[in-house]
Amino acid sequence: MNEATHMKAIRIHQFGGLEELRYEDAPIPVPAADEILIKVAGTAFNQADVKIRKGYLQAIFPHEFPYIPNFEVSGTVEAAGAEVTDFQPGDRVYAALDMSRDGAAAEYVVTKARYAALAPVSLELSDAAALPIGVLTAWQGLFDHGNLPQGGRVLIAGAAGGVGIYAVQFAKQHGAYVIGTSSAASMPMLQELGIDEIIDYTKESVTDKLKDKVDLILNLSPESTEVLNTWLPLLKEGGALISAVNPADEALAAQLGVKAHRLFAQEDRTLLTRVAELVDAGKLKLWITERLPLAELAASHAMSEAGKLRGKVLITI
């Protein structure tokens, strides 16, 4: 293990604006018996990072200050706890981290070994950090909670975002007819992924544009609960609106004979292992639009707050 005791990290000392993202020295964490210490190669920005910084998710993911953000990581195992038998120093891994603990905006991070999986061998190790939360949210939203039928119809709101790009690919591989919302700038990429219809949310309303009802709506956009409630009648009987951002009204959904559920991705090593195989087989594409050094992490938050994010922002260490 590295003999140094401190590392560079981004830390938050209180909830607030961009100025609270401080680039500074922090102690290198020590893994518990069931944990691994990862030397970070890459991490990735998520929309939830902004809400966590502002304190909006404190009731769901409580944090103690100072707190290190970012809950996706790829890197090399530096050390393993005494009870860890499936990883050893030098292994290339990636993981979705516990969102209530210190994250990966640092040179080192610890995680429960069961959350990690071997990273795709065909990728630069840092790039693997663009995968975990996106693929877990997409898969769990479509299948574990959304029960998308084989060959069904799905609307993916925010199809060109860091989760949407994987949701489109998983749904198409499932034989689904995929409709997505995006801006014009993202349409060529979505067409390359095989999407069937695109609704330009800057010009068109989902309720006006959608011609036939769908089995599932996977919402990955910051639409309000009020807007999402207007989408519930667009679902077939027994369908579902799964939202990774704001929730739709569950009681209203039940009255309409459909389901509404707010989604938070859960760690799943088995799924991450399967995803690594898909990537290495050339069956799953990444879309990294920005690469920033750790010290410039605040720029990703600024882009998000300005509504200028497309694809995935990767933070390299």
Side-chain angles (χ1 to χ4, degrees), residues 155 179-181 198-211 223 227 230-231 234:
L155 168 67
I179 307 155
T181 69
I198 303 175
I199 298 173
D200 184 345
Y201 68 83
T202 67
K203 300 178 180 178
E204 302 166 323
S205 162
V206 167
T207 52
D208 291 338
K209 188 70 175 178
L210 198 63
K211 296 177 182 177
E223 300 288 358
V227 170
T230 69
W231 293 0
L234 303 175

Side-chain angles (χ1 to χ4, degrees), residues 4-315:
T5 59
H6 284 74
M7 62 181 179
K8 288 296 183 183
I10 297 288
R11 296 205 293 181
I12 299 170
H13 291 259
Q14 64 181 13
F15 297 127
L18 297 176
E19 71 280 358
E20 299 302 335
L21 295 165
R22 304 183 191 177
Y23 183 62
E24 60 189 22
D25 290 332
I28 295 176
V30 177
D34 61 345
E35 295 179 336
I36 54 175
L37 175 68
I38 299 173
K39 184 176 183 180
V40 179
T43 183
F45 171 80
N46 286 274
Q47 301 285 355
D49 293 327
V50 173
K51 294 187 176 183
I52 290 173
R53 168 175 52 82
K54 293 182 175 181
Y56 297 163
L57 298 182
Q58 182 68 356
I60 304 171
F61 303 111
H63 298 102
E64 296 181 1
F65 296 120
Y67 165 67
I68 299 174
N70 286 44
F71 43 96
E72 292 181 277
V73 67
S74 60
T76 305
V77 176
E78 184 80 0
E83 297 176 2
V84 177
T85 59
D86 38 7
F87 294 114
Q88 58 187 1
D91 283 346
R92 291 163 36 102
V93 296
Y94 75 135
L97 305 173
D98 182 340
M99 292 173 64
S100 62
R101 298 180 61 185
D102 275 343
E107 292 179 306
Y108 294 90
V109 67
V110 294
T111 182
K112 299 292 185 184
R114 68 178 183 274
Y115 295 166
L118 293 176
V121 297
S122 59
L123 294 180
E124 288 288 336
L125 183 54
S126 59
D127 288 7
L131 287 164
I133 293 297
V135 297
L136 291 172
T137 304
W139 185 275
Q140 291 168 10
L142 290 171
F143 306 118
D144 295 347
H145 297 285
N147 298 311
L148 179 63
Q150 185 82 29
R153 289 172 56 86
V154 58
L155 168 67
I156 300 172
V163 177
I165 55 174
Y166 302 122
V168 170
Q169 294 177 80
F170 288 149
K172 288 303 298 178
Q173 291 168 10
H174 195 61
Y177 185 91
V178 182
I179 307 155
T181 69
S182 82
S183 64
S186 302
M187 289 182 182
M189 183 275 301
L190 291 174
Q191 290 165 342
E192 183 180 334
L193 295 180
I195 198 166
D196 297 288
E197 285 184 40
I198 303 175
I199 298 173
D200 184 345
Y201 68 83
T202 67
K203 300 178 180 178
E204 302 166 323
S205 162
V206 167
T207 52
D208 291 338
K209 188 70 175 178
L210 198 63
K211 296 177 182 177
D212 299 307
K213 291 191 175 186
V214 295
D215 299 282
L216 172 65
I217 298 174
L218 178 61
N219 179 55
L220 309 169
S221 66
E223 300 288 358
S224 66
T225 293
E226 289 72 23
V227 170
L228 296 182
N229 289 344
T230 69
W231 293 0
L232 291 172
L234 303 175
L235 290 165
K236 297 178 183 178
E237 184 176 356
L241 192 159
I242 309 298
S243 181
V245 194
N246 297 315
D249 188 310
E250 294 183 18
L252 176 59
Q255 291 176 16
L256 296 170
V258 297
K259 170 186 172 183
H261 176 76
R262 188 175 186 183
L263 171 66
F264 291 103
Q266 301 296 312
E267 300 85 356
D268 186 338
R269 174 193 285 183
T270 301
L271 180 53
L272 289 183
T273 299
R274 183 188 309 175
V275 164
E277 294 170 352
L278 288 173
V279 172
D280 287 336
K283 296 180 179 179
L284 192 68
K285 297 180 180 180
L286 285 70
W287 190 37
I288 299 170
T289 53
E290 298 280 349
R291 298 174 188 270
L292 299 170
L294 178 61
E296 297 178 18
L297 175 66
S300 62
H301 286 240
M303 285 187 286
S304 175
E305 292 184 322
K308 296 181 178 179
L309 276 188
R310 295 183 298 122
K312 198 73 171 176
V313 177
L314 187 74
I315 311 299

